[in-house]
Amino acid sequence: MGLRQFVIDAWSWLSYKPVMAEAGRPGSRAFPELARTWVPPHELRRLAAYKVLASYDNNQAGQLSAAGGDVGALERRELGDAANLVDTALGYLLGSEQKVAVEGAEHADDETPTPGAAEAAAVQERLRAWADKELLTFRVQQAERAAVLLGDSVMVLAWNPQKRRPTLRVYDPGFFFPQWDDEDDDFPSRVHLAWELPADDEAGLKARVRRVTYELGPVSGDGEEGDGTGVRQYPWEPGRASNVTCYLTDAEWLLDDLKNGETLDRLPLGKASFRVRADGTELNRLDLMIDFVPVVHLANTIPDGGEHWGRSVLARVLQALDELAATDSDSSAASATTGTPIIGLAGARLPVDRSTGKPEKLTVQAGAVWQLGETGRMDALDTSPQLAELRSRVEHLLDRIAANSRVTAAGLGTLDASEVPSGYALKLALGPLDALVGMMRLAREHKYRLMFKMVQRLYQAGRAEGWTGGDSLPARLSWAPHTPTDRAAVLEEVVQAYGAGVISLETAVAMLVDAGYPIKDAAEEVARILAKAQEEAAVRMAEAAARRGDADEESKDEEQPVKSEAGGDGEPSKGSGGRPGAFGFASASGR
């Protein structure tokens, strides 16, 4: 390979596999779908990489290599290590739950709420209601597993007039073809979603390619809002005229009608068959009445400068997974000779097959009896040392994969608990995993903010009840902690800090929520705690008053003053730090 053929790009970590050279080659058995004329040539490596990664996830990497010409790969043993690594990383990324959070909503129930807190709380409630109806948690699971495995995922929003809400759908990233321009940054002005539809002989349908296109363009002068001037005002930007809108086109082409050079962005419109919406509207440059493309591309990692695609969690350990599969294959062969050893006989009287007159083949099995002569000898081949060495190599490879993927042995659950001297040591062992999860969540942070911004604007464009004009409020997807928390230690810290008066009650409850305590709404929990504290204070005051009255009666009878147990002023006793025990604790050690 010369320097001109040496390519370094977002998929270079797969260049070591000979099967990648099959991408786009006519007659390829590994990637026959990539030989279609409509597939853009510059997308072949990306689509081939997705298929290779999917084969590892389904324990079919050996079959894919065999289709590329490596016949020996059919004997490859794949035991689910790649899928386990993906699922483990996905679990740490997602945490135990995800919630929609709008900035400022947490202050709505304060005694003196900040400006805009009530509006933020109302938007947060409506977004959470939308998330429940659209099964957002389920959709996030779908999208994020594809992102962790393949490096990318795609979510598409659309306004549904019947449901009166935006709908959310997850697409395979292999269907996603953005059209990047020189002036585009992270948001292309034109996006294709395309895939093939197989032939259906029973229905009389030939093989087709379907392409859904979202494209930003100038507003037509005869639009609903445009009064002939080619501009309109969107409800999220009142007072500002815009000449940009998003057009939707959904069409199909017969594969037989396409010629060489008619790639995805050059499909002939004269041969297109446009789809029709349920209300009879033809989806040919349909004006969506929005000024953005409602497509969100999730990348698993932060792309390098000039790149747009993410990297799979398997990318840097793919060769190690190949080594692990080869070692598992060798271990399987060695275990066969260990369980059923190879035996050599000398001076044995072999039974003869009466039909052929040839000695019969001996089989090692329980109860077998072989007759040996006076000088006979039997030797067994012991392969157990080799099997033990192979098992040791498997452990070494697993540790290497855990370290290089940054999921860590502690994260994968392969770390022996007896090897961890303390919780601090475990925290250090999980350090790379913390960094990995932090990087993955950072890569998604602004994409989910963008999605919730689009949801609000689609509600406004659809003139849904309760959604007035004005800019969208910043909303985000809140993740739960990805590793277990020492809840007892956090509780002790909260009680001591609140009792000493160094943190507020709201901060104390927020710390308990972050620690994993089953508190659904922090503001409601604070209100319940304060109400209970006031109730207990009232009870103590009543008891103190009753004791004072009894003391007065006794003093009258005995003519001797009696001091109230509640104190000289009759006020109820206070907890540590002079603060009533709002958590129900009399001191830092508990009540």
Side-chain angles (χ1 to χ4, degrees), residues 154-182:
V154 180
M155 296 189 294
V156 178
L157 291 163
W159 175 255
N160 190 308
Q162 289 75 32
K163 296 181 178 180
R164 301 295 299 168
R165 69 170 186 266
T167 56
L168 179 64
R169 186 175 179 183
V170 177
Y171 282 85
D172 188 302
F175 298 165
F176 179 57
F177 299 92
Q179 305 296 297
W180 303 103
D181 295 330
D182 293 338

Side-chain angles (χ1 to χ4, degrees), residues 7 42 46 77 84 94 108 110 122 144 191 203 248 250 266 347-348 442 475 539 581:
V7 178
H42 64 277
R46 177 172 69 93
R77 306 274 298 181
N84 178 55
L94 296 178
D110 294 348
E144 291 298 355
V191 169
L248 169 66
D250 190 349
R266 298 188 181 94
L442 178 61
V539 171

Side-chain angles (χ1 to χ4, degrees), residues 115-314:
E119 181 185 1
V123 172
Q124 177 176 275
E125 183 179 356
R126 290 197 292 268
L127 285 177
R128 288 182 175 179
W130 170 81
D132 289 338
K133 293 178 181 178
E134 280 301 304
L135 304 176
L136 180 63
T137 302
F138 177 74
R139 303 300 180 196
V140 168
Q141 289 267 357
Q142 282 183 319
E144 291 298 355
R145 196 179 193 284
V148 173
L149 171 63
L150 306 177
D152 304 287
S153 188
V154 180
M155 296 189 294
V156 178
L157 291 163
W159 175 255
N160 190 308
Q162 289 75 32
K163 296 181 178 180
R164 301 295 299 168
R165 69 170 186 266
T167 56
L168 179 64
R169 186 175 179 183
V170 177
Y171 282 85
D172 188 302
F175 298 165
F176 179 57
F177 299 92
Q179 305 296 297
W180 303 103
D181 295 330
D182 293 338
E183 62 272 12
D184 290 335
D185 186 11
D186 289 331
F187 310 107
S189 58
R190 191 182 192 197
V191 169
H192 296 308
L193 298 171
W195 61 93
E196 285 191 15
L197 300 173
D200 188 345
D201 295 334
E202 295 183 359
L205 298 176
K206 296 183 179 181
R208 296 148 290 156
V209 57
R210 181 180 176 185
R211 189 187 74 181
V212 180
T213 302
Y214 295 90
E215 183 178 12
L216 296 179
V219 177
S220 174
D222 55 355
E224 180 180 347
E225 298 285 342
D227 67 5
T229 61
V231 296
R232 66 166 61 109
Q233 290 187 6
Y234 292 103
W236 46 88
E237 290 184 336
R240 178 180 177 274
S242 174
N243 63 346
V244 176
T245 188
C246 183
Y247 294 99
L248 169 66
T249 302
D250 190 349
E252 296 178 1
W253 286 262
L254 294 177
L255 290 180
D256 295 340
D257 292 341
L258 302 182
K259 301 177 182 178
N260 290 332
E262 294 179 342
T263 54
L264 187 63
D265 52 344
R266 298 188 181 94
L267 296 179
L269 293 179
K271 299 179 181 180
S273 175
F274 297 99
R275 290 212 166 195
V276 178
R277 204 167 58 179
D279 60 0
T281 303
E282 185 181 63
L283 299 181
N284 181 14
R285 288 187 60 82
L286 176 68
D287 191 346
L288 298 180
M289 310 298 294
I290 55 178
D291 61 350
F292 57 90
V293 175
V295 178
V296 179
H297 167 227
L298 292 177
N300 185 51
T301 57
I302 299 174
D304 297 333
E307 293 285 352
H308 304 285
W309 306 106
R311 186 171 55 244
S312 167
V313 73
L314 302 179

Side-chain angles (χ1 to χ4, degrees), residues 6 139 176 203 209 257 419 454 479 484 498 513 577:
F6 186 76
R139 303 300 180 196
F176 179 57
V209 57
D257 292 341
E419 297 178 359
M454 291 180 179
W479 313 85
Y498 178 73
V513 172

Side-chain angles (χ1 to χ4, degrees), residues 551-567:
D552 292 342
E553 292 295 330
E554 292 178 1
S555 64
K556 289 180 181 179
D557 295 340
E558 300 178 4
E559 296 182 352
Q560 294 180 359
V562 178
K563 187 176 181 180
S564 171
E565 296 179 4

